[in-house]
Amino acid sequence: MKKIIKNGLLVLVAGVLAVSCADYNVTDDFKAQPDPSFVEPYKDLAPVKSYINREQYPNLTLGATLKVADFNKQELAHAAAVTNFDNLAFGTTLMSGAIVNAKGVMNFLDMKDLLDHVEEIGGEVFGSPIVANTDQADGWLNTLTAPIEIIVDFVEGKTVDYTTMTSFEGTVEKGTATIEKYDGANALKISSLTRVRILEGFELDSLATYTVTFWAKADKSVSFGATFSGNAIDGGAAGGKFMLEAANWKKYVVECKSAPGETEAYFRIETARGTPVYIKKVQVGYYPDNHRPQTAQEKTDTINYALNAWCDALMKINAGRIKLFDLIDEPIGTQELENGMLDLKHSTDKFFWQDVLGSDNYAPVVSKVASEAYQKYEGDPAALKFFISESDLDNEKKLESLKYWINIWDANGAKIDGINAKVNLIYSENAEKQEANRMSIDNLLTNLAATGKLIRLSNFDIKYQDADGVNVAAKDISDDQRQRLADYYGYVIKSYMSKIPHDKQAGICKGNLADTSDPVGLWSVDTKSKDWVRTATYKAFCDAFSGK
């Protein structure tokens, strides 16, 4: 088998990855095109991951984050990732929100292609969060937890028989409406250009579907409009009007609901210019809302079904190939508990797993279901590791709160092996601010090490700010500024390697491989060719991992 990747970044022959320096572009009878990442002054550097001393740091790995679609194209991003990094992470693109539609149909085609290819080249994947508060299959989960449809009886409402009346007691908003002798009996006469409530004073249920029945007649063809409690009713004729032909009494049966927020109950007719409209009788009844909320037990059973269905399908496709997963993503909220710790996130208007499973049992339930599904489909339980991913852990109260919840979950039987700390780092030209930045990351690493859990850093991008706190864009950064940024990358890597015990180092995962609008990449992007060119940050990674 021979695969040639764009720009010669990766050449795969017979399943063997060619990654050496001098002969990087040569493999058997194929010679790749010149690689723009091999320009001075960094052309002699080997792939970044090769600089890690595996004997001294047996658990340290270097990861890269990219999208499934970009990886499956097997072009530049794919080549850079598999050549230079130990493992790959795919963020939200392997979460249920990207895989499960509103009807619960799960599309794992992209994930299967990805895992098959990763397995073929001997790579590794760090699993996206199994459950979270965002990027979930909200359509499906909302459908599953929606109120249950029930049988309801029709409720008889109010009836007004104008044939028995001598005067009209309703509300005339415009024009004239009177009780007149018509066609051998009394009737409500609604003159032209009149707006009148022919029925009102009944109890309004904003969720109910009402049936209004009335009998109307006119001497000449005429149109009229109808409104039910603020909601215009479509009569089917031009402009949504009802059309009444000159003939016998016509019976109308109208299904309608009140307008949102409306509290007054009424049925109103508004006549057009022309002949009067006569009404002899009007009545209203309704079917109450035919749904009821799920009971707590029903919702729990439903969500346990959803969790089992998702984990079973996920682990079936996985077939034991992904061994490290984020179990839960960003669970910590902002509200304080009585003990001063931060509570989990909760919601009153959308589905959150913890609101159904319970805060204390959230992680235990998820880890049990996911572990059982993993083992069911060829997974080695000894290799399986679960992480809790969280951001802003440089906030010591948030980190203490995360530790508090992990202790509760551990005590309740959860499998939690590590913490995946999402970092948001900045290099500042302001010396005082930069010293605070440096102390913050050192303090975070010290506190993470004290948890005794495996520690992984993710979203490892560092933005560059000038002395005034303004971000410096990738297109504007100077060589000197890039070097200072690269040195800080190296500092953070070496701090991680020294502060996190070797047996607890679960690795560092780069957020972006190449520059975005910010100079965060190991590669810059040539403005004309769009090729990737190694930056000083590439060298800083190599030097830091090699111990320089």
Side-chain angles (χ1 to χ4, degrees), residues 346-503:
H346 298 284
S347 177
T348 57
D349 59 0
K350 66 175 294 186
F351 172 82
F352 279 7
W353 295 92
Q354 58 271 32
D355 291 337
V356 177
L357 300 175
S359 297
D360 292 4
N361 290 315
Y362 181 27
V365 170
V366 176
S367 68
K368 180 177 184 294
V369 172
S371 296
E372 290 176 350
Y374 176 82
Q375 294 179 51
K376 177 180 176 182
Y377 296 106
E378 305 177 32
D380 176 8
L384 179 63
K385 298 289 186 291
F386 285 143
F387 291 73
I388 305 296
S389 58
E390 187 56 86
S391 59
D392 301 322
L393 292 178
D394 52 332
N395 179 326
E396 293 192 13
K397 184 170 185 176
K398 191 168 188 180
L399 178 56
E400 285 300 311
S401 300
L402 177 61
K403 289 163 58 179
Y404 165 78
W405 283 107
I406 288 177
N407 287 337
I408 289 176
W409 294 334
D410 281 343
N412 287 342
K415 175 180 173 56
I416 300 173
D417 302 284
I419 295 173
N420 183 13
K422 299 179 180 179
V423 291
N424 182 23
L425 303 179
I426 292 172
Y427 176 85
S428 175
E429 288 183 349
N430 181 300
E432 185 177 342
K433 289 182 179 179
Q434 181 51 25
E435 179 60 16
N437 291 339
R438 184 193 63 78
M439 291 178 62
S440 177
I441 186 63
D442 282 345
N443 189 51
L444 170 61
L445 292 169
T446 298
N447 290 335
L448 287 171
T451 66
K453 297 288 187 181
L454 294 170
I455 302 300
R456 181 176 187 262
L457 298 186
S458 61
N459 193 40
F460 186 46
D461 289 344
I462 305 178
K463 294 182 179 180
Y464 192 101
Q465 289 186 350
D466 64 19
D468 296 322
V470 177
N471 285 359
V472 175
K475 64 182 178 62
D476 300 324
I477 195 166
S478 68
D479 290 344
D480 180 63
Q481 289 173 320
R482 178 80 78 167
Q483 186 59 58
R484 278 183 270 172
L485 178 62
D487 291 343
Y488 189 46
Y489 268 108
Y491 176 86
V492 175
I493 292 170
K494 286 186 282 188
S495 184
Y496 173 88
M497 293 168 68
S498 64
K499 294 182 182 301
I500 305 299
H502 293 192
D503 64 337

Side-chain angles (χ1 to χ4, degrees), residues 128 131 148 163 191 240 279 284 305 431:
S128 299
V131 296
I148 295 172
T163 65
S191 301
I279 307 293
V284 64
Y305 155 77

Side-chain angles (χ1 to χ4, degrees), residues 115-348:
L115 290 177
D116 288 348
H117 176 59
V118 169
E119 184 177 33
E120 179 185 25
I121 64 175
E124 294 181 355
V125 173
F126 187 92
S128 299
I130 293 173
V131 296
N133 300 316
T134 60
D135 300 299
Q136 295 292 282
D138 289 330
W140 180 48
L141 295 169
N142 290 336
T143 298
L144 290 175
T145 56
I148 295 172
E149 189 171 308
I150 58 175
I151 297 175
V152 295
D153 294 326
F154 186 77
V155 177
E156 297 290 346
K158 185 175 182 178
T159 299
V160 177
D161 186 353
Y162 292 111
T163 65
T164 65
M165 300 175 66
T166 58
S167 64
F168 179 59
E169 298 176 355
T171 300
V172 179
E173 299 177 355
K174 174 186 174 184
T176 304
T178 57
I179 301 296
E180 303 284 347
K181 196 78 170 181
Y182 181 73
D183 201 23
N186 286 351
L188 174 63
K189 178 184 177 182
I190 305 175
S191 301
S192 66
L193 299 177
T194 293
R195 185 166 63 238
V196 58
R197 297 185 181 188
I198 66 171
L199 187 68
E200 58 187 335
F202 54 93
E203 185 176 349
L204 184 67
D205 181 344
S206 62
L207 298 178
T209 298
Y210 284 79
T211 300
V212 177
T213 304
F214 62 98
W215 287 259
K217 187 178 178 182
D219 292 332
K220 297 179 182 179
S221 295
V222 66
S223 65
F224 62 89
T227 302
F228 181 84
S229 293
N231 197 9
I233 309 302
D234 186 1
K241 302 291 187 180
F242 287 81
M243 195 66 201
L244 178 59
E245 303 293 341
N248 297 322
W249 288 97
K250 182 176 180 179
K251 179 180 179 181
Y252 291 91
V253 180
V254 180
E255 298 290 326
C256 43
K257 297 188 68 146
S258 63
E262 182 64 60
T263 58
E264 288 189 275
Y266 62 87
F267 186 76
R268 182 177 68 205
I269 283 181
E270 183 170 8
T271 56
R273 183 182 299 276
T275 189
V277 173
Y278 293 88
I279 307 293
K280 69 175 180 179
K281 188 176 182 180
V282 58
Q283 60 189 40
V284 64
Y286 68 96
Y287 283 101
D289 180 31
N290 63 335
H291 297 86
R292 65 161 177 80
Q294 293 187 29
T295 66
Q297 186 59 53
E298 286 171 337
K299 189 169 285 190
T300 298
D301 291 344
T302 298
I303 290 311
N304 275 297
Y305 155 77
L307 181 61
N308 276 272
W310 163 240
C311 288
D312 188 82
L314 174 67
M315 294 306 180
K316 183 176 182 180
I317 290 295
N318 181 41
R321 292 175 287 191
I322 302 176
K323 301 173 177 62
L324 280 65
F325 288 88
D326 275 336
L327 182 72
I328 293 171
D329 185 50
E330 300 196 19
I332 305 301
T334 58
Q335 299 298 313
E336 284 192 9
L337 299 168
E338 291 183 357
N339 62 6
M341 294 292 103
L342 297 175
D343 195 3
L344 301 184
K345 294 174 181 175
H346 298 284
S347 177
T348 57

